[in-house]
Amino acid sequence: MRWTECITRIRDFKDEAAFAELFDHFAPRIKAFLMRSGGDATIAEECAQDVMATLWQKAHLFDPSRASAATWIFTIARNRRIDALRKARRPEPEDILWGPDQEPDQADVLALQEESDQLAGAIADLPEKQKALIEAAYFSDLSHSEIAEKTGLPLGTIKSRIRLALERLRHAMN
């Protein structure tokens, strides 16, 4: 009830003493919560301060009939953590390439074509049993287990044949 009163005083009067009381109590707990959920200390500290700033700015959105003050505050913290994770996984706009790709160098195109032809020839030279498994694994994108189901061969046999085939291909490409 004490925390609800503090939020109400912030909402109604922009009471800095009530905010300081909430901050002293919740900021370290939010930081610890965020660190326990996998964040490092610096990010957790920044996120905790952001949560507390949000509390100050959005105290009018708190509804004590829907949640306790602690639940509301930790929900904000959880959402900030999710936002931070999403932002970390998303490339920044300057990292995204805009416009058409540059034309590849003709020498690179020829080298790639030669390597592709060499690989195709090396695959064609594999024994039929190995070739079929390489094609299933790499061209049909099947897992070893899926190939075993499809062919009826033991999983160990499939792994051995693929390993041998890859060794032959590696040797042929060098």
Side-chain angles (χ1 to χ4, degrees):
M1 202 48 104
R2 173 173 144 202
W3 306 127
T4 301
E5 291 171 14
C6 287
I7 294 173
T8 302
R9 291 191 342 238
I10 293 168
R11 178 193 68 206
D12 295 343
F13 308 111
K14 293 292 183 192
D15 187 331
E16 292 179 10
F19 179 74
E21 190 176 341
L22 279 170
F23 191 96
D24 289 344
H25 180 78
F26 282 103
R29 286 167 176 79
I30 292 168
K31 180 180 175 183
F33 165 74
L34 295 171
M35 288 176 64
R36 278 192 310 272
S37 65
D40 73 4
T42 304
I43 292 172
E45 177 77 31
E46 289 173 8
C47 203
Q49 289 181 11
D50 185 43
V51 168
M52 297 311 293
T54 300
L55 184 148
W56 176 262
Q57 295 163 353
K58 299 194 176 188
H60 65 280
L61 297 176
F62 173 63
D63 181 357
S65 68
R66 295 184 64 205
S68 70
T71 301
W72 184 65
I73 292 168
F74 279 98
T75 299
I76 294 170
R78 182 186 64 85
N79 291 341
R80 287 296 181 274
R81 169 90 173 114
I82 292 168
D83 291 345
L85 287 172
R86 285 182 182 151
K87 184 179 179 189
R89 291 188 184 126
R90 190 176 6 195
E92 291 296 320
E94 61 269 5
D95 295 339
I96 299 172
L97 300 175
W98 298 100
D101 291 338
Q102 287 184 328
E103 285 293 317
D105 183 6
Q106 197 61 23
D108 291 340
V109 171
L110 288 174
L112 183 60
Q113 184 61 49
E114 285 177 13
E115 284 181 10
S116 295
D117 293 343
Q118 185 182 3
L119 180 60
I123 291 172
D125 291 342
L126 287 173
E128 195 55 43
K129 291 178 180 179
Q130 292 177 1
K131 179 181 168 184
L133 294 178
I134 288 293
E135 288 174 347
Y138 293 96
F139 298 126
S140 298
D141 202 28
L142 297 176
S143 70
H144 292 173
S145 300
E146 291 169 328
I147 296 169
E149 283 179 30
K150 190 174 180 179
T151 63
L153 292 171
L155 187 59
T157 301
I158 290 168
K159 289 181 178 185
S160 295
R161 286 183 184 169
I162 288 176
R163 187 176 59 4
L164 288 171
L166 289 175
E167 191 59 40
R168 285 183 182 206
L169 292 174
R170 196 172 299 117
H171 186 312
M173 296 301 289
N174 287 334

